[in-house]
Amino acid sequence: MPNLKIRTKLLLFSLAISTLLIFFGFVGTYGMNAMLGNTVEIIDDAKAASTNLITIESARIHFKEQVQAWKNILVRGNNPPDFEKYVAEFYLHEREVQHMLDVTGKSMRKEGISTEQLEVLRSKHTELGIKYRIALTSFDQSNPNAGKIADTQVRGVDRNVADGLTSVVLQIEKRAIENTAQDLKDAEVASDMAKNTFIGLVLAGTLGRTQAVQAEPGGGGDQPGLGIADVGVVTAGPAQPGVLQHV
């Protein structure tokens, strides 16, 4: 009966330990998958932010080139070949700015970033192009002061577009910082879960081993100890009065 009791306790305890191990295994698997998912998300967010920043910076570079082409028209436009060259450059960079803004807008919408500022910027850039074209129509290449006259019509109009480009860059950078902070926070939670799961597995394994050792004969468990009926002879030397001998 005592042996049956030990086997029953060991069976129940083994079932409990197995249940714990399965539970911790599921939790650990979830934690590892969460860590892997967070790592992938961090990489994807970083790639998206980098792409958006590169694209909007390209728009800003092309806009500077567009403005520079306009300045070249004002300075060298009295020479017909130069006029045609710099007008062509002006239109080229104008198209590139609009293209880069379109690409940035699509990417921002995909990432769930508001494109309100970007749409305002695109409208301002379109309006700027209209004003430049109006000034070009009044550019008289035979007039030495044609550049000065055209400049007075559009002086300072590029400032709003330049400020708008900077605002969109700051918006994308801010979103990237927020995403990174959240991704790192999620990764920390998943890491703590995996660490706690590992500790739980170690403790469960240690507890199971301790119980198994205690259940072994002579291990301090429910195994019966040495009793009077199990002793062949108990003596301490020659028989003395008061000492029980059992044969």
Side-chain angles (χ1 to χ4, degrees), residues 138-181:
S138 62
F139 192 95
D140 183 3
Q141 297 182 46
S142 62
N143 185 350
N145 294 320
K148 293 181 180 179
I149 296 172
D151 182 48
T152 58
Q153 298 180 53
V154 294
R155 183 177 300 170
V157 296
D158 60 311
R159 203 164 296 145
N160 288 335
V161 176
D163 292 342
L165 284 164
T166 300
S167 296
V168 174
V169 170
L170 293 175
Q171 180 189 10
I172 295 173
E173 289 178 344
K174 180 181 178 182
R175 180 58 179 267
I177 293 172
E178 291 173 351
N179 285 345
T180 301

Side-chain angles (χ1 to χ4, degrees), residues 219-240:
D222 291 336
Q223 178 70 22
L226 189 62
I228 295 177
D230 301 306
V231 179
V233 178
V234 180
T235 62
Q240 298 178 9

